[in-house]
Amino acid sequence: MGKDVSNLKEKYRAKLRKGSIGFIFQNFNLIEELNVFENVELPLIYMGVSSRERKRKVLEALDKVQITHRHRHFPMQLSGGQQQRVAVARAVVANPRLILADEPTGNLDSAHGEEVMQLLNQLNNAGSTIIMVTHSQRDDDYARRIIRLFDGKIIHENVSEGFDQKL
C-alpha cells in the first residue's frame, strides 16, 4: 500500500497483518477447539468487528466456499478438502488487500479447486494482491506473473500482457 513496513515496531506490524493480510496455509492451521464458524470469525474478533457484522461476513465467506452447511462442525469432523475451504474462508473473511496462499487448492478435488481459484481471481480483480505458491500448472494459469524457483533461485519469470508491474 505504498508504505515501508520494514522499520515498524511489532505492535504496528501485528495490526497491519490482522487488518490487511489473509493467510491460506497448506496445512490449514485451523484451531481444533473452535468450530468452522468460530475459526472463520477469529480474524474479525481480533479486528474488533461487531458481532452482527462478524456473523454476516462469516456466513458470506462460508457461502463463497460452499461450506456453510458445516458451520457447527469442528475441524476433525471435516475432510481435508473441507478444512482447506474453511482456511480459505478465514483468509478472505476480512477482505484483505494481500493474500498469501501456500498451495490453496492442494487438498481439494478439481471442482472445488476451480471454485477457490475463481474466488481468488475475483478478489484479485477487486483489488487484493494474491501471492501464491503452487506446484499446480492448472492454478498458475490464473497468475499474471509467474516466478519459477529451483533450489531457492529464480530460474524463470513470466509477466502476462497487461500486467500492472506496480503490484
Side-chain angles (χ1 to χ4, degrees), residues 6-7 12-13 116 138:
S6 61
N7 294 317
Y12 297 107
R13 279 193 240 168
V116 166
R138 183 192 73 209

Side-chain angles (χ1 to χ4, degrees), residues 134-135 140 146-159:
T134 186
H135 294 95
D140 74 13
I146 298 171
I147 300 172
R148 296 197 191 282
L149 302 173
F150 184 77
D151 289 341
K153 294 184 171 87
I154 296 174
I155 60 169
H156 179 75
E157 184 172 355
N158 182 32
V159 178

Side-chain angles (χ1 to χ4, degrees), residues 63-150:
D63 186 54
K64 284 180 182 177
V65 295
Q66 299 181 0
I67 195 93
T68 308
H69 64 289
R70 301 286 242 159
H71 75 279
R72 293 186 192 270
H73 289 79
F74 290 86
M76 293 187 74
Q77 297 173 307
L78 304 174
S79 70
Q82 291 169 329
Q83 289 182 53
Q84 186 69 359
R85 287 159 50 204
V86 173
V88 170
R90 182 185 56 199
V92 304
V93 71
N95 202 20
R97 297 281 315 223
L98 172 64
I99 297 173
L100 302 175
D102 182 5
E103 295 287 358
T105 64
N107 293 295
L108 302 177
D109 60 48
S110 61
H112 286 115
E114 183 72 20
E115 290 168 8
V116 166
M117 290 308 300
Q118 287 178 7
L119 172 61
L120 292 175
N121 194 49
Q122 289 168 2
L123 291 167
N124 181 246
N125 289 335
S128 292
T129 297
I130 314 294
I131 298 176
M132 178 177 65
V133 175
T134 186
H135 294 95
S136 167
Q137 209 164 12
R138 183 192 73 209
D139 292 351
D140 74 13
D141 286 342
Y142 282 89
R144 295 182 186 154
R145 182 177 183 187
I146 298 171
I147 300 172
R148 296 197 191 282
L149 302 173
F150 184 77

